[in-house]
Amino acid sequence: MQPERIVEEFPAPSYRGAQRQALRDVRAAFEAGNDVVLLRAPTGTGKSLIARAIMGCARQPKEAEPTQAVGAYYTTPQVSQLDDVAEDDLLPDLKIVRGKGNYDCILDGERDTPVDRAPCARKRGYDCAVKHRCSYFSARAVASSREYAATTLAYFMNTAGSEVFGKRDVCVIDEAHGLGEWAEMYAAIDLGPATVPVWEDLRIPDLDGDAERTARFAEQVVDVCESAKDELLLVDELTPDEAGRRDRLQERIAELSWFVEDYRDPDSATTWVVDQGDDGRITIKPMDPERYLNHTIWKRANRFALLSATILDKESFCRSVGLDPSSVALVDVPHTFPVENRPLYDVTQGRMTYEKRDETIPRVAETLVSLMAEHPEEKGLVHAHSYAIQEQLADRLRSFGVGDRVRVHDRNTRDASLEAWKQSDDPEVFLSVKMEEALDLSGDLARWQVLTKAPFPNTNDSRVSRRLADGQWAWYYRTALRTVIQAAGRVVRSPDDYGVTYFADTSLLDLFERARADVPDWFEDALDRLDRPDLPAPTAEDALAGMGGRVQQVEAGGERTRKTATQNQTTANGGDAERDSRSPLSEVWDP
């Protein structure tokens, strides 16, 4: 690596905000001998451009001995972030490759068939005459042979150990704050009828959460899967369904073999937890999968740069991903967006815990109507946290008569609904689920947003409950705070952009108090100005004023009637804002 090249490798014609200083600090960190640099840069800093400058410092082929690693990887867990990189005119030399399922076969009669189900995946010994023109294999060939390859973290991890994507000199991981959690998710193993094709051939034991018993069962499953896979390998031509069955068998064999090997390794730092449902389905989950990360990430390059706005604590982050803090440097980038352009407001209406939600949601919905009236001509984003909350809010808003301004999505329509909302000229309000990260809503795409629930980790997850049983409350609050800070950055993307963030769950205020030590200075500046606004009355007419005066027509008793918000309900400026200093156990909630 040649850190001294970092400034000249910056791809933009000019710098924005603190980018130039960030490059100098990263250079100094690498020149000091650190193998890993954590770059903590606020949302909107332009981290992708900084990433490219860091990649440009990688050893080039002309500088290398035959056995030395050259070139660089760029990877991110967020598909939308990779899409942004692919569309950035300043990053044309980052060659993108995705998983096979994202590309269609080009053969006649197969053009709607994903490459992972194409004839090359179905027919034994198949030699495709047009493989050189195949969209997937072409993209893979380009990305593997060029200096800078870019892909999702899932694909990057899945190609560990492959000859195509070997070790490189530099690897940049964008949106790296959740690397430990992503690794835990990717390394988790789900066993059930939908994931194990031979499930009906197995005798499912009661594992009772016992890891040793689970390891013995895993060995049995591998044997049965191996036999079923071998039978398919004898078939000259598979149907698409049979090809899918073969792939699922191979995936389970690889996953379970890895689990057994890691579990039986006395030197492994990974703890495995096992959940089993009443229907027998099993989930095997790793905690702190250090060995998995070592294989899929840390052996893939000589030097690493991990970029994020929310690596809140260096020591705890390094522990969670298996890094030695002594070889890791933290570079902080100041926020250059005026605090006046990114205000935070308290519109809390009560707690959104599972027990209190039914009481609080009506008040939150009414607050949303007031906020629509406050922003009649501006798009808004509502972070609903879960589909259950989204559905309840949507029903309430329809009953208020403002449904014409509300857009929702489900798991299958997520991307299409988001794109349609962004393209709409109307000031629609989008009730979203899990869109707190990697979403760029610059300018008029959204001028206001609402967090309806404190995003604490789900305590029904055995890994979360295990950590809390071990007293890891700082991790619990830090994880929620990280998501809140990520969400706050969705609507302010440049120094001259502006957007308002509202907090509707009283538990968010408790979170800020309990995690105050982990709050970055630039976010603390906004928290210090946190105020309770005066909002207009929650009337449908005012909420829909920017929609050309349209008011939702609602069926009632066979007649079409116009419904508006009642005036005798709790106002948006009131509600249960009670807070106390209860035990941390009182703040452990269902999703």
Side-chain angles (χ1 to χ4, degrees), residues 162-230:
S162 75
E163 295 181 0
V164 177
F165 291 102
K167 186 174 184 178
R168 296 202 173 188
D169 190 37
V170 173
C171 178
V172 177
I173 304 177
D174 206 351
E175 302 295 343
H177 49 273
L179 183 58
E181 288 89 340
W182 283 99
E184 288 182 350
M185 183 183 73
Y186 292 147
I189 307 168
D190 291 316
L191 304 179
T195 60
V196 182
V198 294
W199 185 256
E200 298 302 326
D201 300 330
L202 299 170
R203 182 178 178 183
I204 311 302
D206 182 3
L207 299 175
D208 195 29
D210 186 275
E212 174 58 35
R213 195 179 306 170
T214 303
R216 293 197 297 269
F217 175 62
E219 291 172 325
Q220 297 172 18
V221 177
V222 168
D223 289 340
V224 177
C225 287
E226 288 277 14
S227 297
K229 185 194 72 171
D230 289 343

